[in-house]
Amino acid sequence: MAAAPFLATSLAAAAVLLLPLLSLLALPCSRAARDILPLKSSLVVDGGYESNTLRSPDGTFSCGFYSIYTGAFTFSVWYSDSADKTVVWSANRGRPVHSRRSAVTLCKHGSLVLTDYDGTVVWRTDGEFPNVQHLQLLNSGNLVLKNSTGSTVWQSFDSPTDTFLPNQLIPATAKLVSTTRLQVAGHYSFRFSDQSILSLIYDDANVSGIYWPDPDYQYYENNRNLYNSTRMGSLDDHGEFFASDLAKHQPLVASDRGLGIKRRLTLDYDGNLRLYSLDNLDGSWTVSWIAQSQPCMVHGLCGPYGICHYSPAPACSCPPGYKMNNPGNWTQGCKPIIEITCSGTQDVTFLLAAPEH
């Protein structure tokens, strides 16, 4: 007779142990991350673009249509858990597509093609790749096309926009270009210079110049190695950035150096290069390294003829006799209030600005 209570107790204990397992089995299959887009398939804006995405197997990255403003989208890769879904790569940064009938399709000939609402091709992968089987978003944030043998025939890592990710190689041909507040390419770039030095460069139609490392110092004073031919760099999982031009191979190191932190190296709209670390609790980013500690040293920050000063944050002004070229946009600098012809009949005075301390 004593066996019945024992049996009931055993069954109850077993039920308690089985409940978590049964609850996991009851999860809908739709919650599983989809990291692959098969051949002749599409991602579309219509019908819920926020759910019509790819997601890396570990959930770190997502890929799909990203809303930059009402009715305008880019085809992008972003950090899934960041509070603002921080974009790390875009196919069509300067040419967004519309909100209806836009799609990205892996065509039967192996090209990935982005089309607008009217069928206009906005972007496509260069070349056609035989035997392509699928598009895949990797845990690294790299978006790749793979063929029937599993080989990668195209990858987004080869065409970065404004961000390098950990373990993404930075070869001689790669460069970052800043993104403006209007989500188009800016005038700042991060790349290897003609002297094989990784540099921050300001470049517009009228002027071009390096502003990091400090152009007033020799390369050895900037702890750089001029005599290298490899032109290669990379950010590792510890938060250390290595490059072939860094003297004695000394890395640039994040203030929170260590494993287990999600990071990105981004050339921001203000022309400064920053290494960011993600806070997993609230999805915010903190700066763990910065290239230019003095923002006013960034070329073109206040535009042509503009003066950058600290009060206490960086601020722009025009010299006497000048006014803003475009009120509200300091990147366009200043212009003379009156036209100076230098014909010899006008009095011209030169002003010498005192250095700030």
Side-chain angles (χ1 to χ4, degrees), residues 231-291:
R231 295 195 185 190
M232 186 66 68
S234 180
L235 173 68
D236 70 10
D237 291 326
H238 291 83
E240 297 185 358
F241 179 79
F242 293 87
S244 56
D245 67 317
L246 292 175
K248 300 179 182 178
H249 303 286
Q250 294 179 355
L252 305 174
V253 183
S255 59
D256 57 355
R257 180 190 179 280
L259 289 172
I261 300 175
K262 297 172 183 176
R263 310 179 194 273
R264 60 184 173 92
L265 185 69
T266 299
L267 180 57
D268 289 322
Y269 71 91
D270 62 356
N272 220 332
L273 183 71
R274 295 177 176 89
L275 179 59
Y276 290 92
S277 300
L278 182 65
D279 186 331
N280 291 325
L281 296 178
D282 61 8
S284 64
W285 294 97
T286 57
V287 177
S288 53
W289 177 85
I290 189 169

Side-chain angles (χ1 to χ4, degrees), residues 24 65 122 145 163 187 211 215 357:
L24 288 174
F65 285 98
V122 172
L145 286 177
T163 297
H187 294 298
Y211 57 93
H357 300 283

Side-chain angles (χ1 to χ4, degrees), residues 38-329:
L39 195 66
K40 296 188 286 186
S41 300
S42 300
L43 297 176
V44 297
V45 176
D46 290 335
Y49 70 92
E50 292 181 331
S51 60
N52 191 16
T53 60
L54 301 181
R55 193 174 176 93
S56 61
D58 66 358
T60 298
F61 294 97
S62 297
C63 172
F65 285 98
Y66 182 89
S67 177
I68 57 174
Y69 50 84
T70 303
F73 297 84
T74 56
F75 176 61
S76 303
V77 176
W78 61 88
Y79 267 103
S80 306
D81 296 332
S82 61
D84 57 355
K85 294 183 178 180
T86 304
V87 170
V88 298
W89 177 83
S90 291
N92 57 320
R93 175 168 54 166
R95 169 60 166 89
V97 295
H98 294 76
S99 58
R100 293 186 179 277
R101 295 188 299 276
S102 296
V104 61
T105 304
L106 183 54
C107 300
K108 62 180 181 180
H109 48 67
S111 291
L112 189 66
V113 180
L114 175 65
T115 53
D116 208 345
Y117 72 101
D118 58 357
T120 301
V121 175
V122 172
W123 172 89
R124 68 188 304 155
T125 51
D126 294 330
E128 296 184 359
F129 309 103
N131 302 320
V132 164
Q133 296 298 303
H134 60 259
L135 176 74
Q136 185 173 14
L137 180 60
L138 306 181
N139 289 334
S140 62
N142 196 8
L143 190 66
V144 300
L145 286 177
K146 290 190 174 182
N147 61 18
S148 55
T149 65
S151 300
T152 297
V153 297
W154 175 91
Q155 58 181 350
S156 60
F157 272 12
D158 287 339
S159 55
T161 47
D162 64 354
T163 297
F164 284 125
L165 293 172
N167 302 311
Q168 179 177 357
L169 293 180
I170 306 172
T173 56
K175 68 176 180 178
L176 300 183
V177 178
S178 61
T179 299
T180 69
R181 294 184 185 274
L182 298 177
Q183 301 299 313
V184 297
H187 294 298
Y188 299 105
S189 64
F190 175 59
R191 59 178 173 83
F192 281 99
S193 68
D194 294 339
Q195 288 74 39
S196 300
I197 300 294
L198 264 177
S199 305
L200 289 174
I201 301 171
Y202 177 77
D203 191 9
D204 70 4
N206 300 312
V207 64
S208 177
I210 294 173
Y211 57 93
W212 181 85
D214 194 328
D216 293 332
Y217 292 147
Q218 296 293 326
Y219 67 89
Y220 56 87
E221 295 175 298
N222 285 317
N223 197 33
R224 298 300 185 95
N225 174 23
L226 186 64
Y227 303 100
N228 74 90
S229 58
T230 54
R231 295 195 185 190
M232 186 66 68
S234 180
L235 173 68
D236 70 10
D237 291 326
H238 291 83
E240 297 185 358
F241 179 79
F242 293 87
S244 56
D245 67 317
L246 292 175
K248 300 179 182 178
H249 303 286
Q250 294 179 355
L252 305 174
V253 183
S255 59
D256 57 355
R257 180 190 179 280
L259 289 172
I261 300 175
K262 297 172 183 176
R263 310 179 194 273
R264 60 184 173 92
L265 185 69
T266 299
L267 180 57
D268 289 322
Y269 71 91
D270 62 356
N272 220 332
L273 183 71
R274 295 177 176 89
L275 179 59
Y276 290 92
S277 300
L278 182 65
D279 186 331
N280 291 325
L281 296 178
D282 61 8
S284 64
W285 294 97
T286 57
V287 177
S288 53
W289 177 85
I290 189 169
Q292 188 57 266
S293 59
Q294 298 292 331
C296 281
M297 298 302 294
V298 175
H299 289 188
L301 189 65
C302 295
Y305 307 111
I307 299 174
C308 183
H309 53 92
Y310 299 95
S311 61
C316 298
S317 63
C318 291
Y322 284 72
K323 64 179 181 180
M324 285 188 70
N325 231 326
N326 182 4
N329 184 0

Side-chain angles (χ1 to χ4, degrees), residues 12-27:
V16 171
L17 292 174
L18 285 172
L19 279 176
L21 178 60
L22 291 174
S23 62
L24 288 174
L25 293 174
L27 287 174

